Amino acid sequence: MNDAESSDKNELIESDLIDYGSTNEDNIPTKSLEEIYTIIGVGKAQYIYWVFLSIICLFDTAEMVVISTIIPLLRCEWGLSVVWETLINTNVYFFSALGGALFAKLPDIYGRKKMLSISLAFLFIATASSALAQNKVQFFLVRCVVGLCMGITFPTCIAFSTEITKSSHREVGPMSIVLFATLGSFLTAVLAFLLLNSIGWRWFILVMVSPVALCFIVLICFLPESPRYLAVSGKKTEALRALHQMAKMNSTTLPEQINITVHSDQDLGSISDILKSDFRKETILLSAMYFGNLLIIFGTQVFVPLALYSGFCGGQGDPPEHKCVKIQQDSLLQLSIITFAAALSGVLGYAAAMTLGRSISFKVFSTCSFVVTFFLYKCFSKLATVGLFFLIKLLQSSHDTVSLIVVPELYPTTFRNTALGFINSWGKLGGVVGAGAVYALYYYRPILVVVMFSGSAFLVMVSSWVWSKETKKVIMTDVREECT
């Protein structure tokens, strides 16, 4: 289907939603999920979901800052070599990619709430256990489990957040998650500045993981399953119960009985669907964008503390010596300033996506980021270097925000989480390459790290300019087209 036909179809769908009065022979009103969500409106229910899911994802990006910040302390305590530092810095990202590729389809099959609850329980146990690790091997192993869990939680939260409201407001969920997640990077850096040198890395990890336990309790006790998932999986009675619960929270009223007009599809979580001709081009381009984006985002997250601790001058001069160093408070403060760019990116990415559209936003952010990376080849003052990293992180994270808005719009409910997990796994692999290459190259020839960042920015830019699909006004779909 070409873009023009898709646009015509979406206009027809929107016009169909005007009629709210259709009934069947039993005088039970028949409504689509879009009609029901229009009646429910946007209110307390959606805000609770969005904030709660965003808090869960806050831990995903906080993890990057935690590890990159405490690694000098682990180096001193356990005498870590460059190889072990690389393994500890990248194993969470690698197993997160593995978890996304292998297990992200499970929420499409068994439900968002059930799999998110299981993942959160293991995530809390594994992270808390890492604070108790007595040596580098124990620390490495439990962080592998943390990565597997994160491979499920992040894409599930993104999918969940888009499925609790009508299509015209589906961008708010991913934007909120990105805002909280990127804010998590900034808050973690601030807490590191305030607490790390005084309470030590073990208590610092426990402080950072404590919100996960609260999220687990709230999810189990208070929040219903995604109505869209329940409807497409054939559980329409449970879907209606969840919709009534949301309507009550929003102080609106739904008819007691509603015939939900959505086709059930038992072939849920099929990874082959995201590679079929209808989605193949977009899946490949989004995977390339995610790979390049997270290579730079995670790579700079590891690179910046190293550069601030040892000094960086455009990759010029002799490679720094790998040794035990004391973490300076001014370096932690500068790290906090740079990570604040990630917090701003959620708002900037959302604003651009809503005004310029998704396709143009891709092109603007990627092109500007590619140009800025070339300034890293010059030797500037420490303040100017901090500013450059701030700008790169802002642009690249804003591009990532737009990507997270596009993916749920593109794929139907039946394999939305599978697509998010698959594409996100490529991003986490980019994070593995970025973080690992920083350690491998920085102590050998720092200029090669800058070359890697420029090359990744070029990959994202090319993929963005090849991208042609605009999803801004597309109505969210629940099942594959052949099932309707």
Side-chain angles (χ1 to χ4, degrees):
M1 178 184 297
N2 58 38
D3 289 347
E5 292 172 339
S6 177
S7 176
D8 292 342
K9 179 180 178 181
N10 288 320
E11 290 177 6
L12 289 172
I13 294 175
E14 290 186 286
S15 66
D16 290 343
L17 300 184
I18 298 174
D19 179 16
Y20 297 105
S22 59
T23 60
N24 59 16
E25 60 270 16
D26 297 322
N27 207 33
I28 297 176
T30 299
K31 299 182 184 296
S32 69
L33 282 168
E34 283 293 315
E35 291 175 320
I36 296 173
Y37 277 126
T38 299
I39 297 172
I40 292 175
V42 177
K44 183 179 178 181
Q46 283 78 14
Y47 298 142
I48 291 175
Y49 268 110
W50 287 332
V51 170
F52 167 74
L53 294 171
S54 298
I55 291 174
I56 294 176
C57 292
L58 184 150
F59 184 80
D60 188 276
T61 50
E63 167 67 22
M64 294 189 299
V65 184
V66 168
I67 293 298
S68 62
T69 305
I70 70 171
I71 201 73
L73 298 177
L74 300 182
R75 180 193 306 161
C76 296
E77 182 171 334
W78 291 331
L80 297 180
S81 64
V82 174
V83 173
W84 268 104
E85 284 190 29
T86 304
L87 289 174
I88 289 175
N89 245 306
T90 59
N91 73 323
V92 169
Y93 309 147
F94 176 79
F95 280 90
S96 179
L98 190 64
L102 296 179
F103 304 129
K105 67 178 182 180
L106 297 181
D108 280 334
I109 300 173
Y110 300 109
R112 311 323 191 199
K113 179 177 178 178
K114 179 184 294 186
M115 295 311 304
L116 194 55
S117 301
I118 294 172
S119 180
L120 282 178
F122 280 100
L123 180 62
F124 177 79
I125 293 171
T127 306
S129 298
S130 70
L132 305 175
Q134 298 302 305
N135 55 60
K136 58 191 177 185
V137 176
Q138 292 177 7
F139 190 85
F140 174 83
L141 292 177
V142 292
R143 302 307 282 188
C144 293
V145 179
V146 171
L148 287 173
C149 295
M150 287 169 57
I152 299 174
T153 55
F154 190 76
T156 303
C157 287
I158 294 290
F160 209 157
S161 72
T162 63
E163 295 173 356
I164 54 167
T165 187
K166 57 184 179 180
S167 292
S168 60
H169 289 77
R170 73 308 184 86
E171 305 95 343
V172 179
M175 187 276 292
S176 174
I177 286 175
V178 171
L179 181 61
F180 270 73
T182 51
L183 188 61
S185 298
F186 172 64
L187 292 177
T188 304
V190 171
L191 287 174
F193 170 71
L194 297 174
L195 302 176
L196 183 59
N197 281 328
S198 57
I199 67 175
W201 67 268
R202 296 180 187 275
W203 279 106
F204 183 61
I205 288 177
L206 291 175
V207 168
M208 294 308 303
V209 76
S210 56
V212 176
L214 178 63
C215 290
F216 174 78
I217 295 171
V218 172
L219 179 62
I220 291 292
C221 299
F222 299 107
L223 295 185
E225 176 61 272
S226 162
R228 286 188 184 272
Y229 160 76
L230 292 171
V232 300
S233 59
K235 303 172 183 176
K236 294 186 178 181
T237 301
E238 295 178 34
L240 190 57
R241 189 182 304 122
L243 290 165
H244 274 107
Q245 188 174 342
M246 293 177 65
K248 184 178 180 180
M249 294 171 70
N250 283 3
S251 300
T252 55
T253 304
L254 288 176
E256 196 64 32
Q257 295 293 326
I258 302 177
N259 181 33
I260 303 176
T261 57
V262 63
H263 293 269
S264 300
D265 185 5
Q266 299 304 316
D267 186 16
L268 303 173
S270 174
I271 197 168
S272 62
D273 284 333
I274 67 176
L275 297 173
K276 289 183 177 178
S277 58
D278 289 349
F279 300 102
R280 187 181 299 122
K281 176 185 174 182
E282 287 76 17
T283 299
I284 293 172
L285 290 176
L286 284 168
S287 297
M289 291 181 201
Y290 266 63
F291 182 90
N293 271 335
L294 268 66
L295 187 152
I296 296 174
I297 293 171
F298 286 19
T300 53
Q301 197 66 59
V302 173
F303 180 65
V304 168
L306 291 176
L308 293 178
Y309 297 157
S310 61
F312 175 77
C313 188
Q316 301 173 22
D318 296 329
E321 182 183 353
H322 182 263
K323 61 182 180 179
C324 176
V325 295
K326 179 178 175 57
I327 298 178
Q328 302 296 325
Q329 284 297 105
D330 64 334
S331 294
L332 290 174
L333 178 61
Q334 291 159 356
L335 179 63
S336 300
I337 294 172
I338 292 172
T339 53
F340 182 65
L344 293 178
S345 68
V347 176
L348 181 60
Y350 175 76
M354 296 303 295
T355 54
L356 301 177
R358 287 43 162 166
S359 182
I360 294 178
S361 297
F362 276 153
K363 296 171 176 58
V364 171
F365 288 134
S366 61
T367 303
C368 291
S369 181
F370 175 66
V371 172
V372 172
T373 58
F374 281 92
F375 286 94
L376 290 175
Y377 291 94
K378 296 283 292 181
C379 183
F380 294 105
S381 67
K382 199 170 188 179
L383 180 62
T385 301
V386 169
L388 282 175
F389 280 119
F390 180 94
L391 191 55
I392 290 171
K393 184 172 284 291
L394 176 64
L395 293 168
Q396 215 67 45
S397 297
S398 297
H399 189 285
D400 193 52
T401 299
V402 180
S403 301
L404 290 173
I405 291 174
V406 167
V407 177
E409 296 175 334
L410 187 63
Y411 301 94
T413 303
T414 47
F415 53 91
R416 181 174 294 125
N417 210 85
T418 304
L420 278 161
F422 177 85
I423 294 170
N424 189 58
S425 68
W426 280 101
K428 292 300 174 67
L429 281 177
V432 172
V433 174
V438 164
Y439 271 101
L441 299 175
Y442 187 65
Y443 292 106
Y444 170 67
R445 190 168 294 175
I447 191 67
L448 296 180
V449 178
V450 180
V451 173
M452 178 183 68
F453 289 154
S454 297
S456 299
F458 180 73
L459 171 65
V460 176
M461 183 181 69
V462 170
S463 300
S464 298
W465 281 95
V466 173
W467 181 274
S468 59
K469 196 175 187 68
E470 180 55 65
T471 60
K472 182 178 178 181
K473 295 184 179 180
V474 173
I475 296 293
M476 285 180 67
T477 56
D478 290 306
V479 296
R480 294 167 299 169
E481 190 170 307
E482 59 263 32
C483 295
T484 59

